[in-house]
Amino acid sequence: MNSQKVWILCCFFNFLIACVFGLLMRFMYIFPLDFLNYSFLLHAHSHVAMLGWIYMIVYVLVVHFFIPKEKSQKPIYNRLFWLTEFSVIGMMIAFPIQGYALFSIVFSTLHILLSYVFCRLVWKDSLRDKSPSQRLLLASVLFMALSTLGVWCLGPAVSTLGKQSAFYQIAIQFFLHFQFNGWFILAILALFLKQFQNKIDEVQFNKFYFLMIISIVLTACFPVRWFIENNILSYINGLGVLIQLGAFIYFYKMLRPQIHHFKNTLDKTTKIVYALALWSLFLKVGIQLLTIFPNLAEVSHQIRNFVIGFIHLTTLGIITGFLFGILLHNKMLSAGCSILKTGMKCFISGYIATEVLLFLQGWLFFFEGGTISGYYQSILMFSILLVLGLALIMVSILNKKQL
């Protein structure tokens, strides 16, 4: 079994564990488990999903696509991967037991320090070709480093003003905003653009790139507005989401000449996965546009179903959708394998069904319509599909002869 196959299998293992944690939380809504703390489990779920699945698989793909082979074979990349995985396993064990406490903080801090090493390696070793994908990658890495400023502010925030303070909450949202919208989304788009072998229109890309960077910075005002009463923040966010819409219009124009040819190179499963990712991306842009309206902006973080639905739209729909597409497109997953096809169908069905339920229930809460009959049982059943789908994908990776 070669090292890249082991790396990918390891990432899917992290993803499976994160999904099992999520499944347990939904199980606890119906059957409370005294030996498990829901809040601790939530921390474990979110950290392992973000840092164990998304970060680690992006690491694998960035090394594969952007680091020249003679440099990517250096021992530092393998050592760094396993050290980072050690920090993820530490969080996997520590968070469910103690929540935010000594060991979980030590392991999550170790992950951040190792991510700085990765940033430096990418900056030093990646191709210096100034291609659109390369420029997006370097911007994403800078946003990753920027996001961690929020984490370093948590200690001073707790010691001076406490965990309930606006300062503490804003520091968390700063980290999450630039992780998801800066580091993860831009890295995923960089990897996606790398799949287009024909030259990308530089003029359209420059417009997309410039507007995208501005929108990421401006929309950081949206979560800040939850904790600071200031209408100016709402106007800045409104401008940011309009600029983001403009960015993705240029993104579409940039890829339009190549879409037909690109689609013809894909098998059916890969087409479905990429379509899921792109539709989820357009839906995210649309939902963010709705936050221009003050009453919708207000409920977007007050109704928990909307918050979870939006996070899953980003993580499972956009980010994981693109990641699955890239893995399938490059034969890192066996698109022709029947086990994998079944796994993908289970995962996608589980994702769509849980998203529909989350947003539908959120709207019912908004209109004071009560709870959907059998809501918690239904969302638990559909969540089982996500876990089953990932388990089948892992089986298909183990059965794959070569990678």
Side-chain angles (χ1 to χ4, degrees):
M1 200 183 282
N2 67 33
S3 61
Q4 191 183 67
K5 181 173 177 174
V6 176
W7 282 9
I8 291 172
L9 199 57
C10 182
C11 295
F12 273 94
F13 168 75
N14 295 342
F15 195 9
L16 181 64
I17 297 298
C19 277
V20 168
F21 286 152
L23 187 64
L24 274 172
M25 287 191 292
R26 284 177 174 164
F27 183 84
M28 287 170 73
Y29 264 98
I30 309 167
F31 309 104
L33 301 171
D34 295 335
F35 60 92
L36 284 175
N37 181 302
Y38 184 91
S39 175
F40 293 176
L41 211 52
L42 175 60
H43 291 317
H45 169 70
S46 56
H47 279 78
V48 176
M50 275 179 65
L51 307 178
W53 162 239
I54 302 173
Y55 177 94
M56 296 298 275
I57 195 68
V58 169
Y59 178 108
V60 174
L61 292 174
V62 165
V63 170
H64 179 80
F65 286 109
F66 288 96
I67 309 297
K69 196 158 190 179
E70 67 277 7
K71 291 180 179 177
S72 69
Q73 299 296 324
K74 291 191 292 188
I76 180 69
Y77 284 99
N78 195 45
R79 285 184 203 141
L80 182 60
F81 179 89
W82 290 113
L83 272 172
T84 311
E85 177 60 14
F86 170 73
S87 73
V88 171
I89 298 288
M91 287 184 271
M92 212 180 271
I93 297 166
F95 273 114
I97 296 170
Q98 60 173 197
Y100 267 108
L102 176 63
F103 289 107
S104 54
I105 290 170
V106 166
F107 286 118
S108 46
T109 304
L110 174 62
H111 195 290
I112 290 172
L113 296 175
L114 292 170
S115 75
Y116 291 157
V117 178
F118 181 56
C119 282
R120 185 176 174 277
L121 284 171
V122 170
W123 206 263
K124 184 166 67 77
D125 289 347
S126 63
L127 299 164
R128 282 281 183 260
D129 56 6
K130 293 186 179 176
S131 64
S133 55
Q134 171 71 14
R135 287 169 62 194
L136 272 180
L137 176 71
L138 295 182
S140 75
V141 162
L142 288 176
F143 275 122
M144 185 228 281
L146 175 67
S147 73
T148 60
L149 291 178
V151 177
W152 301 126
C153 287
L154 292 178
V158 172
S159 59
T160 55
L161 299 168
K163 280 193 175 183
Q164 302 308 314
S165 66
F167 179 27
Y168 180 84
Q169 298 298 330
I170 288 168
I172 291 173
Q173 294 304 325
F174 182 93
F175 170 72
L176 292 174
H177 175 81
F178 287 110
Q179 276 277 309
F180 280 111
N181 297 294
W183 159 225
F184 291 148
I185 295 284
L186 290 188
I188 294 305
L189 293 178
L191 289 163
F192 181 57
L193 289 188
K194 198 76 174 171
Q195 310 310 304
F196 288 82
Q197 290 162 359
N198 298 338
K199 195 168 170 61
I200 298 286
D201 186 320
E202 291 278 347
V203 175
Q204 302 285 11
F205 171 78
N206 287 336
K207 290 173 182 174
F208 160 71
Y209 179 78
F210 178 68
L211 292 176
M212 193 67 187
I213 301 293
I214 292 173
S215 75
I216 290 167
V217 174
L218 296 183
T219 52
C221 290
F222 181 64
V224 175
R225 176 71 177 78
W226 302 345
F227 309 103
I228 296 175
E229 288 290 326
N230 192 320
N231 288 334
I232 292 171
L233 293 171
S234 299
Y235 300 141
I236 294 171
N237 172 65
L239 179 62
V241 295
L242 289 171
I243 289 172
Q244 180 180 252
L245 176 64
F248 280 107
I249 288 169
Y250 284 118
F251 180 75
Y252 171 71
K253 284 183 176 180
M254 172 180 78
L255 296 181
R256 187 171 55 185
Q258 298 188 42
I259 286 172
H260 182 71
H261 172 74
F262 181 71
K263 276 170 67 178
N264 289 338
T265 66
L266 307 175
D267 60 86
K268 188 181 175 184
T269 307
T270 313
K271 277 180 189 172
I272 291 168
V273 172
Y274 270 142
L276 177 82
L278 288 164
W279 277 110
S280 297
L281 180 62
F282 296 145
L283 196 55
K284 175 182 180 282
V285 174
I287 290 170
Q288 285 182 280
L289 280 169
L290 293 176
T291 63
I292 291 172
F293 303 103
N295 57 334
L296 291 177
E298 199 61 36
V299 298
S300 65
H301 70 283
Q302 290 174 346
I303 296 176
R304 186 171 169 76
N305 302 68
F306 285 153
V307 175
I308 298 167
F310 187 77
I311 291 170
H312 285 183
L313 178 73
T314 305
T315 53
L316 299 179
I318 303 168
I319 297 171
T320 299
F322 275 118
L323 288 168
F324 281 2
I326 292 160
L327 288 166
L328 286 164
H329 191 185
N330 291 278
K331 308 293 186 283
M332 294 174 176
L333 293 175
S334 303
C337 171
S338 58
I339 297 173
L340 181 124
K341 285 179 181 176
T342 306
M344 283 291 175
K345 283 174 187 172
C346 285
F347 185 88
I348 291 168
S349 301
Y351 161 68
I352 292 172
T354 51
E355 283 294 279
V356 168
L357 276 172
L358 281 165
F359 280 107
L360 196 57
Q361 184 58 70
W363 280 112
L364 277 176
F365 283 148
F366 179 58
F367 292 112
E368 298 179 355
T371 307
I372 297 168
S373 177
Y375 170 74
Y376 294 108
Q377 291 84 351
S378 301
I379 206 159
L380 174 65
M381 293 303 294
F382 289 126
S383 298
I384 292 170
L385 285 176
L386 291 167
V387 174
L388 178 62
L390 285 176
L392 290 171
I393 292 167
M394 283 186 73
V395 170
S396 77
I397 296 170
L398 284 166
N399 287 347
K400 194 170 176 1
K401 298 286 187 291
Q402 259 187 324
L403 199 64

